[in-house]
Amino acid sequence: MATSVTLSDVAREAGVSLATASRAVNGSANRTVRADLRERVLEAAQRLRYTPDANAQAMARGRTTCLGLVVHDITDPYFSSIAAGVTAAADTAGLQVMLSTTQHEPDREVEVVRLLQRQRARAIVVVGGRHDDDPGNEVMRRALADYAASGGSAALVGQPVLGVDTVVVDDAAGAADLARALHARGYRRPAVLAGPDAHLTARARRDGFTAAFAELGAPVDPAHVLTCDFTHDGGRAAMRELLAVGADVDVVFAVTDVMALGALAAARDRGVRVPEEVALAGFDDILTLRDVVPGLTTVRVPLVEVGALVTRLVLEPAPGQPRVHPVATEVVLRESTPDRGDRGQRSGTSGGMP
Amino acid sequence: MATSVTLSDVAREAGVSLATASRAVNGSANRTVRADLRERVLEAAQRLRYTPDANAQAMARGRTTCLGLVVHDITDPYFSSIAAGVTAAADTAGLQVMLSTTQHEPDREVEVVRLLQRQRARAIVVVGGRHDDDPGNEVMRRALADYAASGGSAALVGQPVLGVDTVVVDDAAGAADLARALHARGYRRPAVLAGPDAHLTARARRDGFTAAFAELGAPVDPAHVLTCDFTHDGGRAAMRELLAVGADVDVVFAVTDVMALGALAAARDRGVRVPEEVALAGFDDILTLRDVVPGLTTVRVPLVEVGALVTRLVLEPAPGQPRVHPVATEVVLRESTPDRGDRGQRSGTSGGMP
DNA sequence: TTGTAGGCGTTATCAC
DNA sequence: GTGATAACGCCTACAA
């Protein structure tokens, strides 16, 4: 920085030693400063417009006030809500949040952890479901282990496969609850926009959903479980596919709200009305969609709380085994899945898709 | 951090001096290192799992690789889209983003700028419309000036009243375009959920809208211009008020999409159907709403681009007067404001959805 | 090309 | 309670 006032300047101006100035500006641990001296120092600091250099403090103290946050895509309401929880909790703890986005690229995620380690972030929060690929996870696990070895602590929102404390949303149970609720509303021919097969969150939601429907005696047609990207466009593509083949389906479950939005777009493109011709449900209960009419049936995940929780977790690291903190969900029924009433029989002119 | 490998360790391990190690790890400007030596150093670094300390580098070099980003609320799609643009551009420039949220509190905004200055952020991007209160702006202006004096550069997305480079969305023109489009669709009795009176963005949108309607010979009833918070709940409260008095209105313009969502919630609460009983339009064209059915008529602001733009701007500071970079908008007509057809004259409509 | 040494701004450990 | 002074980890003239 061009010309910045240092603590030495302040000390000189106040006529005290550097040490005293330091103690006055940031109350030292045990040492204390005489009131009048501190007054003088503070005045001098103000007069000179002194601003402490956090980098220098970090060096001297051996720790920064930075917390790293890793998400895939900050425009995704899922991540931005969690991010809000993280920033709030970090703020409470007096930490700044360093935000990194990975654009859904695993390599980039590892890279970003390394970057955060360079910054000597005091803690790292990684958000995002893991994939079922050992080599990929292994790289990430290694990066986090390196980071931990350097003294930082990390935590994850996802699945406990990285050797760090993890907040785990009970996706399977939530999806099963949703399935039962839809069944109760009379749906019998569900389809699933399932996301990537290897994505553990997607898989848990898909499996929880299909298992519950099977248990209810209305097994999901395997042909109606569509793999796709875990994104808006993924949902859109899968829905388009579903519509293209004219699948006989009365409700579509997209494993995230954002994917459900993509599905909605596909339906619109094809002129298929939701929920009149086909019902739709998502997962997450993202904020922006809460007031849309017709409302999207979904499974609420307390995203902001999850963010705050994982942050508190990472800031009070526990020795020993990585902890797992489960988070419950709640089904939210809205207009996108109206009651079919007649328990599975088609009513009116349409019930399936074209 | 607990036990971290330093460059000295690497140098010793490689049998070279600290200086050589430094030059090998980060290719020094002019000095170059013999190939075999560099190889040895890099190997040693790898073996020891050396990670450069960005804080130490920042001290030695006199500049960090941090860019500060200040937004009101990261869960708001408006801000998160801009944030995405900022992080992308920052990443391109090799910078990390430090995210701070103000929760709509002006004091907090100033505080956050100071925090960023402590961190010696290389640049600061502030996002958010200004208020029409000189004292408040003066404090912020002062904080940014202090920051600039310390060698950083700042830029703003909002109105050019802070003495820094500013990206200015042409809100008035966008709102006027919207008004004309609505008029062309036959709307004659508009209401405005206007946000805070002192909020310059809100005001520009409101005034652009009302001026255009007045020009078209259908002036907005002043009683139908409602002041409210610049938030979801603000829109909701205002809409509730509007509905409570049974205002004679055929279209409601909320000055942001998020406020329009609040309005939608209020309508739903009261059992008023949109757009059958009253049409609704917003501003921003936030991502999440693009595929909702019925679509929300709005004015598109290229948010991600705005974020990238302001970041590029702040990273190539120009001497002299603060620059102003205007950004144009585009009306997007959707189903929330169907053509009234039978009313008044028609002119060609723009945009629109399938 | 390589090494030496001073300095970046602060904290912390000592004596006093 | 206060003040020198040695770290902290790295970069960079400057000297060799």
Side-chain angles (χ1 to χ4, degrees):
Chain A
M1 301 290 103
T3 84
S4 107
V5 180
T6 77
L7 193 52
S8 301
D9 298 331
V10 174
R12 189 177 328 112
E13 172 85 3
V16 301
S17 75
L18 215 200
T20 299
S22 171
R23 293 193 271 251
V25 169
N26 324 295
S28 168
N30 31 16
R31 293 310 185 196
T32 169
V33 174
R34 221 173 52 210
D36 59 326
L37 274 195
R38 183 180 39 213
E39 198 62 25
R40 244 169 46 207
V41 172
L42 263 31
E43 266 176 18
Q46 186 118 28
R47 193 162 36 217
L48 268 40
R49 315 208 128 271
Y50 166 73
T51 307
D53 184 324
N55 292 290
Q57 292 182 314
M59 280 216 56
R61 300 209 248 245
R63 60 197 156 78
T64 66
T65 64
C66 261
L67 178 144
L69 171 60
V70 184
V71 302
H72 288 319
D73 174 9
I74 195 65
T75 66
D76 186 324
Y78 173 82
F79 292 112
S80 67
S81 282
I82 293 183
V86 171
T87 55
D91 196 60
T92 300
L95 300 181
Q96 328 267 125
V97 172
M98 201 144 235
L99 172 68
S100 316
T101 58
T102 70
Q103 318 302 349
H104 296 277
E105 289 170 29
D107 294 355
R108 172 81 184 139
E109 196 175 43
V110 173
E111 189 183 319
V112 146
V113 167
R114 299 235 167 84
L115 237 39
L116 257 12
Q117 180 173 357
R118 281 172 85 111
Q119 297 292 339
R120 300 298 187 262
R122 182 190 297 204
I124 296 181
V125 169
V126 179
V127 183
R130 297 299 100 192
H131 286 262
D132 180 20
D133 64 332
D134 268 337
N137 286 335
E138 182 53 33
V139 176
M140 190 64 179
R141 198 180 304 134
R142 178 61 171 283
L144 290 178
D146 282 358
Y147 171 68
S150 83
S153 74
L156 174 70
V157 177
Q159 292 80 27
V161 299
L162 256 32
V164 300
D165 292 348
T166 304
V167 171
V168 182
V169 173
D170 197 345
D171 295 299
D177 288 344
L178 175 66
R180 284 186 283 269
L182 292 177
H183 187 273
R185 281 200 168 187
Y187 293 96
R188 294 293 182 273
R189 305 187 307 285
V192 182
L193 311 187
D197 193 48
H199 194 288
L200 296 178
T201 299
R203 188 192 288 178
R205 292 177 183 182
R206 177 197 68 188
D207 292 350
F209 187 86
T210 55
F213 253 104
E215 219 165 74
L216 291 164
V220 183
D221 181 341
H224 295 166
V225 177
L226 282 76
T227 290
C228 62
D229 280 353
F230 204 60
T231 60
H232 176 278
D233 289 349
R236 184 172 189 159
M239 185 66 166
R240 193 181 298 139
E241 198 180 326
L242 200 63
L243 294 174
V245 303
D248 176 33
V249 151
D250 58 4
V251 60
V252 172
F253 168 47
V255 296
T256 73
D257 284 355
V258 170
M259 287 169 59
L261 275 175
L264 214 47
R268 183 202 57 205
D269 292 348
R270 209 177 163 89
V272 172
R273 286 167 307 151
V274 175
E276 290 81 0
E277 300 179 61
V278 62
L280 181 64
F283 204 114
D284 288 335
D285 194 29
I286 59 177
L287 220 49
T288 318
L289 255 35
R290 294 212 179 147
D291 298 313
V292 167
V293 180
L296 179 69
T297 287
T298 188
V299 179
R300 173 169 301 174
V301 179
L303 297 170
V304 176
E305 288 82 347
V306 164
L309 176 61
V310 68
T311 304
R312 285 195 301 270
L313 217 56
V314 81
L315 290 181
E316 42 173 62
Q321 287 303 302
R323 291 167 292 177
V324 171
H325 198 117
V327 168
T329 63
E330 180 193 359
V331 172
V332 182
L333 292 170
R334 300 208 179 96
E335 299 90 342
S336 70
T337 59
D339 201 325
R340 286 292 187 241
D342 49 3
R343 327 299 295 178
Q345 300 310 307
R346 289 196 182 190
S347 60
T349 54
S350 67
M353 290 194 201
Chain B
M1 301 290 103
T3 86
S4 110
V5 181
T6 77
L7 193 52
S8 301
D9 299 330
V10 174
R12 191 180 323 114
E13 172 86 2
V16 300
S17 76
L18 216 197
T20 300
S22 170
R23 294 194 267 252
V25 169
N26 326 294
S28 171
N30 30 16
R31 294 312 186 197
T32 169
V33 175
R34 222 172 51 208
D36 60 324
L37 274 194
R38 184 181 35 213
E39 199 61 26
R40 260 196 0 235
V41 172
L42 262 33
E43 267 175 17
Q46 187 118 29
R47 192 163 38 223
L48 267 40
R49 315 209 129 267
Y50 166 72
T51 307
D53 183 325
N55 290 290
Q57 293 182 314
M59 280 217 58
R61 298 210 249 247
R63 61 199 155 78
T64 66
T65 64
C66 264
L67 179 145
L69 171 60
V70 184
V71 302
H72 288 320
D73 175 7
I74 194 65
T75 66
D76 185 325
Y78 172 83
F79 292 112
S80 67
S81 282
I82 293 182
V86 171
T87 56
D91 196 60
T92 300
L95 299 181
Q96 329 266 125
V97 173
M98 200 144 236
L99 173 67
S100 317
T101 57
T102 70
Q103 320 301 350
H104 296 275
E105 288 171 28
D107 294 354
R108 172 80 185 141
E109 197 174 44
V110 172
E111 191 183 317
V112 149
V113 167
R114 300 235 167 83
L115 238 41
L116 257 13
Q117 178 171 0
R118 281 172 86 113
Q119 298 291 339
R120 299 298 187 262
R122 182 192 296 203
I124 296 181
V125 169
V126 179
V127 183
R130 297 300 99 193
H131 286 262
D132 180 20
D133 64 331
D134 267 336
N137 287 336
E138 182 52 33
V139 177
M140 190 65 177
R141 199 180 303 136
R142 177 59 171 282
L144 291 178
D146 282 358
Y147 171 68
S150 83
S153 75
L156 173 70
V157 176
Q159 292 79 25
V161 298
L162 255 34
V164 301
D165 291 349
T166 304
V167 171
V168 183
V169 173
D170 197 345
D171 295 299
D177 289 345
L178 174 65
R180 283 186 284 268
L182 293 176
H183 187 271
R185 281 200 167 187
Y187 292 97
R188 294 292 182 274
R189 304 187 311 284
V192 182
L193 312 186
D197 193 48
H199 194 289
L200 295 179
T201 299
R203 188 192 291 178
R205 294 178 181 181
R206 177 197 69 188
D207 291 350
F209 187 86
T210 54
F213 253 105
E215 219 165 74
L216 291 164
V220 184
D221 182 340
H224 295 166
V225 177
L226 281 75
T227 291
C228 61
D229 280 353
F230 204 61
T231 61
H232 177 277
D233 289 348
R236 183 171 190 157
M239 184 67 164
R240 192 181 298 136
E241 198 180 326
L242 200 62
L243 295 173
V245 303
D248 177 32
V249 152
D250 57 5
V251 60
V252 172
F253 168 47
V255 296
T256 74
D257 284 356
V258 170
M259 286 169 59
L261 277 173
L264 214 49
R268 184 200 55 206
D269 292 346
R270 208 176 165 93
V272 172
R273 286 168 307 150
V274 175
E276 290 81 358
E277 299 179 62
V278 63
L280 181 64
F283 204 115
D284 289 336
D285 193 28
I286 60 176
L287 219 50
T288 318
L289 255 34
R290 293 209 181 149
D291 298 312
V292 166
V293 178
L296 179 69
T297 287
T298 189
V299 179
R300 175 170 299 173
V301 179
L303 297 170
V304 177
E305 289 83 347
V306 164
L309 176 61
V310 68
T311 304
R312 286 196 300 271
L313 218 56
V314 82
L315 289 181
E316 42 173 58
Q321 287 303 304
R323 291 168 292 177
V324 171
H325 198 116
V327 168
T329 64
E330 179 192 2
V331 171
V332 182
L333 292 170
R334 299 204 179 101
E335 297 90 339
S336 70
T337 58
D339 201 324
R340 287 291 188 242
D342 50 355
R343 311 185 145 261
Q345 67 282 17
R346 318 242 336 243
S347 60
T349 55
S350 62
M353 302 250 313

